[in-house]
Structures are given as C-alpha cells and as structure tokens.
Amino acid sequence: NEYYVGAVDSNLHDEGFLIGEEAAKHGVKKVVLIGGNVGDDNFELRIEGFTESFVDAGGGQILDSARCSSPAEGQEKANALLSANPDAEAVYVMVGSYLPGTVAAMETLGIDLPIYITNANADTVPYIKDGTVVAATSGNELVGAVAGALLINYLDGHQILDADGKAPQLTNVGFVVDQDNIDDFQALFVDDLPYTEEALQTLVWRYNPDVTYDTFVDFVENHLTLEALKADRG
C-alpha cells in the first residue's frame, strides 16, 4: 500500500525472555503466571519468551497460570492461583495493570513472594522501590514517537524506505528496571518525558536532511535504552 509508512513495535517475545532470564539468574525455580486473555499476542508471545529463558535454558518450572479478561479479575484470579500452588517461589505478572490485584491477593493470603513483571507502568515504581517487584521490563511506550517520525517524514515528502524500497518494520526489546535504576526510570518515564526534543529531531527530515532508514535502525537498536536516554539528559 503506497500510504503505508511502516511500523515500530515492541518485541514481546524477547521482552518475556528478558524477564525470564532475570528470574533464573536470581535462582527462582518454580513460578506462577498471571495475565490477560488466552490468545492475545501481548501475553502469548511473552510466555513463549519467558518459557525459553526460564524453563528451557534456566531449568525452571511454570506451575500454573491465571488468565483474566481484564485487570478487574486480577485479585480474584491471583488469590485462586496462589492458593492452589503453595510451592510457587515467585510470580510473573505479564503486564503492570495486573500487579495491584496480585499484591492484594498475597496480602490477603499472608504470603510474600517476589514478583517479576513485563510492561511496567508508573504504578509499578513504588513496588520496585520497596522490593515487592524484584525486576521489571519497560520501554514499550518509546516506540510510538519513532513511528510518528516515520509519518512526519512521509508527509514532508521524504518517506523512509529500506534497501528494497519497502516501509520499515522495526522492533524494540526494552530494558530491565530494578532497585539499582528505578530512580532514573521514574525521573525519565514518570516525572518527565523520556525523549529530548533534539533526540527526536534526528529522525525527522525537516531537522535532519541526512536521515535515512539506517538512522532509524540505529536509533531503535541503540537509543531506546535507559542508559542512552539518561545520557541525552546529561
């Protein structure tokens, strides 16, 4: 389609793989999972990645999972999940909106398991700070601005195309957030905006006449990290 300018999204499989590595690294062997609907790629792809790193490579075991139609079911489903699996050593929460219900369920049951989470949001910050969440991944929200730059360039008459003349399809893995870098994460993603204006202008032809497909690839691969965003802010 001549009007298709490309897409930039998060690699959900690799995001799940990344948090599974964290759990395995910390010596966790048995986990339970909670997340959204069965069949939703936002969760299925994360489970695939988590299974590869935590089970296949790390030797861990997924005891059970609770799948919800919405976060409103989170506490009830987490309560049943944790009650049925007393051997669980940790909980993998597949998106930040299911964290409050999981924490409430553990408080009701009087248990205290470490939590690992993908797609952390602002509400996750205090739980990382107090150690309830041992590790999280984030960075999904960064891709929208990059996709916007593709559209602006198209409207300016400078469409970004790859070597085969096709619109880009770019993916971002994200990064790990824990107690070591939570203050930086809060400063960039909660208290302020993660990008500087100058960083985004490098992607836009009207400000950078040398912008190419390779500029976008480099930006997605090397700039969408907490460390790179910190460096922009000095």
Side-chain angles (χ1 to χ4, degrees):
N1 188 314
E2 64 179 306
Y3 301 111
Y4 175 63
V5 301
V8 191
D9 57 19
S10 294
N11 189 322
L12 303 178
H13 173 279
D14 287 2
E15 187 183 28
F17 189 95
L18 193 60
I19 203 65
E21 277 190 323
E22 289 294 305
K25 181 177 70 177
H26 296 150
V28 176
K29 290 299 181 184
K30 297 179 180 180
V31 302
V32 289
L33 278 56
I34 183 166
N37 283 327
V38 173
D40 186 334
D41 272 354
N42 287 291
F43 306 105
E44 300 302 333
L45 291 174
R46 286 180 176 128
I47 292 173
E48 287 180 13
F50 185 88
T51 300
E52 285 185 20
S53 60
F54 181 76
V55 178
D56 299 341
Q61 182 181 2
I62 298 173
L63 299 177
D64 200 355
S65 65
R67 308 300 292 273
C68 311
S69 60
S70 78
E73 294 182 346
Q75 184 173 348
E76 178 185 356
K77 292 285 184 76
N79 198 315
L81 177 70
L82 294 167
S83 297
N85 294 277
D87 294 339
E89 299 171 1
V91 184
Y92 168 33
V93 178
M94 287 180 270
V95 66
S97 53
Y98 287 94
L99 179 60
T102 301
V103 172
M106 290 201 298
E107 291 174 349
T108 299
L109 296 170
I111 60 178
D112 183 19
L113 297 179
I115 295 174
Y116 294 83
I117 185 169
T118 42
N119 197 22
N121 56 21
D123 294 336
T124 312
V125 170
Y127 295 108
I128 297 175
K129 287 189 172 184
D130 70 15
T132 303
V133 172
V134 178
T137 65
S138 189
N140 302 39
E141 52 274 270
L142 293 170
V143 297
V146 182
L150 289 173
L151 179 58
I152 292 170
N153 287 330
Y154 172 85
L155 294 172
D156 281 350
H158 188 81
Q159 185 175 4
I160 301 297
L161 302 171
D162 65 16
D164 296 322
K166 295 183 178 180
Q169 175 73 40
L170 306 172
T171 59
N172 168 42
V173 175
F175 49 83
V176 173
V177 183
D178 55 26
Q179 285 187 323
D180 291 336
N181 60 11
I182 186 59
D183 289 338
D184 293 327
F185 175 79
Q186 181 176 351
L188 289 169
F189 285 81
V190 180
D191 300 337
D192 202 344
L193 298 174
Y195 287 124
T196 63
E197 186 174 351
E198 292 76 15
L200 289 177
Q201 285 178 345
T202 65
L203 298 175
V204 180
W205 176 71
R206 66 177 70 170
Y207 301 108
N208 176 20
D210 297 322
V211 66
T212 65
Y213 171 79
D214 290 336
T215 309
F216 276 80
V217 171
D218 178 71
F219 193 90
V220 170
E221 290 182 353
N222 300 309
H223 201 84
L224 305 190
T225 68
L226 197 56
E227 291 303 314
L229 296 169
K230 277 176 56 181
D232 281 348
R233 297 285 182 186

